[in-house]
Each structure stands twice: as C-alpha cells, then as structure tokens.
C-alpha cells in the first residue's frame, strides 16, 4: 500500500527510501502513532485508545538480588513481544511433537524424510514463550544495583506477562 508508506515516511524519516526495515519496527511505529492520535482523554499520558484496548498488554519484570533476596518489580505496557528462538534441547514439551503440529508442517516433514532430505528441527511457540519467561542470571558488568544493599550484586531477572492483550503480536528474533 504505497499511500500508507508515503504517510509513514512523512511522519518518520527512518522509513524514507526503499531500504530494508524490520516489519516489527514498522508495526510498532504504526500502532504507537495511531494510539497517540486516537487516545482519550486527549493529552493524558495514560490515555486509552482502540489500539491500546486491542493490542496493549502489561509485562512484569522482577529482579531478585542474590545477596539479600529482595525483589524489585517493574510493570510496563507492550504492544508486541520479542521472543528468542528456543534451543531445540529445551523444547521437550508434548506440544512440540510432530503430532501436535499442523497437518501441512507434518506433511512437509514426512516428504523431506521420504526423499532423504534432512528434516529441519522444529521448535514450538510454547518453548519460545518458556525461554522468554525463564530466569536470566545477571552478573559482572550486567550486575544489578540493589537499593537495599546499596551495591551492585549478581541477580536473577524474570519476565512475566501480567495482562494479556486481546490480540497478541509476537516477534521471533532472527538471531541468538
């Protein structure tokens, strides 16, 4: 839709020309811009819009200091989630089996095996969500400044989806 592209290019110089841009970046810009234009009450930072009613969820980040055990919480709104591609070894859930996949996926796997092609490993969306919400150990230069200890310490960071949006937009990261 060239008219939409022209409007977006007027609003954000990042999208000028015909360079390759991330579709997630484009969608986030578009949703944010439409939200800003349609939110009510007008001018309020926390204003609602049809965009936020449909696409907004909230994400809770919890950081636990491994020295004193104190928790720090932060809740922020999101329009999309960027999920890492899970390791194949971690995807051992029943939903990741071939029988739980779509028939076209199963057909393609069987066709590749029949013709002697190496079947590509398949990773479930559940595994990607599990990896996104699994604990991350932060240390060294990524250590956390604990307000209770008044010093930097190793910590554990965990993400949790607090409020699910009506429509969940997922972005699968291309790189590990």
């Amino acid at each position: 839709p060239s008219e939409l592209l022209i409007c977006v290019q007027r609003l954000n110089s990042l999208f000028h020309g015909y360079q390759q841009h991330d579709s997630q970046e484009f969608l986030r810009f578009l949703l944010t811009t439409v939200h800003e234009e349609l939110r009510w009450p007008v001018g309020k930072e926390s204003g609602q819009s049809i965009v936020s009613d449909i696409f907004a969820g909230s994400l809770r980040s919890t950081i636990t200091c491994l020295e004193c055990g104190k928790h720090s919480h932060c809740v922020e709104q999101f329009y999309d989630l960027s999920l890492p591609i899970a390791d194949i070894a971690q995807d051992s859930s029943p939903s990741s089996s071939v029988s739980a996949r779509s028939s076209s996926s199963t057909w393609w796997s069987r066709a590749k095996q029949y013709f002697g092609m190496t079947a590509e490993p398949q990773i479930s969306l559940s595994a990607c969500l599990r990896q996104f919400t699994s604990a991350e150990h932060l240390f060294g230069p990524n250590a956390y400044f604990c307000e209770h200890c008044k010093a930097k310490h190793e910590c554990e960071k965990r993400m949790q989806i607090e409020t699910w949006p009506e429509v969940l937009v997922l972005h699968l990261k291309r790189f590990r």
Side-chain angles (χ1 to χ4, degrees):
S2 58
E3 289 180 29
L4 176 63
L5 178 61
I6 290 168
C7 290
V8 168
Q9 288 173 336
R10 283 187 200 138
L11 295 172
N12 190 332
S13 62
L14 178 68
F15 297 105
H16 282 192
Y18 292 96
Q19 301 171 14
Q20 180 179 344
H21 293 289
D22 196 304
S23 60
Q24 178 229 8
E25 195 175 81
F26 176 81
L27 180 62
R28 185 177 288 169
F29 171 77
L30 189 63
L31 290 176
T32 302
T33 303
V34 172
H35 166 72
E36 292 296 317
E37 291 296 319
L38 298 178
R39 70 178 177 188
W40 65 87
V42 176
K44 288 232 175 174
E45 196 63 33
S46 62
Q48 293 290 103
S49 74
I50 191 165
V51 173
S52 59
D53 289 346
I54 295 171
F55 293 100
S58 60
L59 193 61
R60 175 182 289 269
S61 171
T62 302
I63 297 178
T64 305
C65 175
L66 297 179
E67 186 71 22
C68 68
K70 293 287 184 180
H71 302 289
S72 172
H73 303 283
C74 178
V75 177
E76 59 186 63
Q77 187 180 54
F78 70 88
Y79 286 135
D80 60 16
L81 292 178
S82 291
L83 300 181
I85 297 176
D87 294 328
I88 298 165
Q90 293 177 344
D91 193 10
S92 58
S93 67
S95 63
S96 68
S97 68
V98 174
S99 62
R101 300 193 185 282
S102 69
S103 59
S104 62
S105 170
T106 303
W107 175 86
W108 180 240
S109 296
R110 288 182 183 158
K112 288 198 292 189
Q113 287 174 352
Y114 178 78
F115 291 107
M117 299 165 64
T118 307
E120 293 175 17
Q122 296 185 6
I123 301 169
S124 70
L125 188 55
S126 297
C128 296
L129 282 165
R130 272 194 305 280
Q131 187 163 331
F132 177 77
T133 58
S134 66
E136 178 182 0
H137 188 82
L138 302 177
F139 58 94
N142 295 324
Y144 171 71
F145 182 83
C146 178
E147 290 293 327
H148 184 259
C149 299
K150 303 293 185 209
K152 278 191 152 191
H153 292 295
E154 291 185 27
C155 67
E156 183 178 274
K157 180 180 177 183
R158 185 177 296 270
M159 305 300 278
Q160 178 183 3
I161 299 171
E162 189 166 271
T163 308
W164 292 87
E166 186 175 326
V167 174
L168 177 63
V169 177
L170 298 175
H171 166 248
L172 296 176
K173 296 179 181 178
R174 296 185 294 178
F175 306 105
R176 292 185 186 181

